[in-house]
Amino acid sequence: MPGRLTGSARAVSPRNQRIPSVPTLARFLREAQTAVKLRGQVTVLLTTDTAIRRLNRQFRGKNKATDVLSFPAAQGPVKIAGDLAISIPTARRQSEERRHSLSIEIKVLILHGLLHLAGYDHEIDTGEMARHEQKIRSRLRLPHGLIERTMRSRTKVNAPSLPESYSGKGRRPRNPGGVRS
């Protein structure tokens, strides 16, 4: 079932910071869902830092804005994979820091969120989600993903490449109530 939407490095200009069209993002969502092998409807909400902070506080107990939240759907007769919420102001800041377009950053965030909907969790695995994200990003011609960025910044400050909280093996069972970032 195709997803639906609501709401290469180059110099950053105002034109590169425009929100991509719904057809452009819907096309990417279908392509990324196929690459992730995630079946079912996915709804993507493009929102504000204030709204995503509220969702993050309500569902994860973290009172801060974030770039993407994933809401896996409860399993039922209708095939719905879940919902993603993406903060446009955060995505815009991250795209400027990385000197690529807002469109590219939103696509990176969609891919990351889809992997969470598929059951991957970088907070508890031993790098499986990061490896899978890297492989798919390469196929979709996207720059560094969220996990890889985090790992690079930790390496720069001589921190361990994987947080001590990483344990377990890869994908966790679908957790309908579990929101992930």
Side-chain angles (χ1 to χ4, degrees), residues 11-85:
V12 176
S13 69
R15 182 178 173 95
N16 287 344
Q17 292 304 302
R18 291 184 186 155
I19 297 173
S21 69
V22 170
T24 297
L25 289 177
R27 204 170 23 256
F28 176 79
L29 179 59
R30 284 190 301 275
E31 185 179 2
Q33 270 189 260
T34 299
V36 171
K37 298 181 179 152
L38 178 65
R39 300 179 86 175
Q41 182 175 317
V42 174
T43 301
V44 178
L45 170 69
L46 303 178
T47 192
T48 65
D49 278 346
T50 301
I52 209 160
R53 178 180 183 166
R54 190 175 311 118
L55 290 169
N56 205 16
R57 182 176 54 239
Q58 179 179 352
F59 292 100
R60 298 181 68 231
K62 297 186 178 193
N63 190 21
K64 64 178 185 173
T66 188
D67 45 14
V68 60
L69 290 173
S70 303
F71 299 87
Q75 293 179 339
V78 178
K79 187 61 179 155
I80 298 175
D83 302 319
L84 302 177

Side-chain angles (χ1 to χ4, degrees), residues 80-168:
I80 298 175
D83 302 319
L84 302 177
I86 296 173
S87 169
I88 293 300
T90 298
R92 184 170 279 125
R93 284 190 301 276
Q94 290 175 177
S95 71
E96 290 169 356
E97 289 167 7
R98 285 156 187 88
R99 301 191 52 77
H100 58 237
S101 70
L102 177 59
S103 177
I104 293 292
E105 186 65 19
I106 291 170
K107 290 174 182 179
V108 167
L109 297 173
I110 287 172
L111 175 58
H112 186 84
L114 290 175
L115 286 165
H116 278 306
L117 293 181
Y120 290 92
D121 190 344
H122 54 86
E123 292 183 6
I124 65 166
D125 73 12
T126 55
E128 183 182 1
M129 182 175 173
R131 288 187 297 275
H132 199 56
E133 183 178 79
Q134 183 178 22
K135 184 171 74 175
I136 295 171
R137 271 188 310 91
S138 177
R139 191 177 334 154
L140 298 174
R141 289 178 244 110
L142 293 173
H144 297 300
L146 300 182
I147 301 168
E148 194 172 2
R149 292 176 194 171
T150 302
M151 301 319 237
R152 286 174 183 244
S153 67
R154 285 191 178 118
T155 302
K156 286 180 184 175
V157 293
N158 297 324
S161 60
L162 289 175
E164 289 181 26
S165 63
Y166 273 51
S167 62

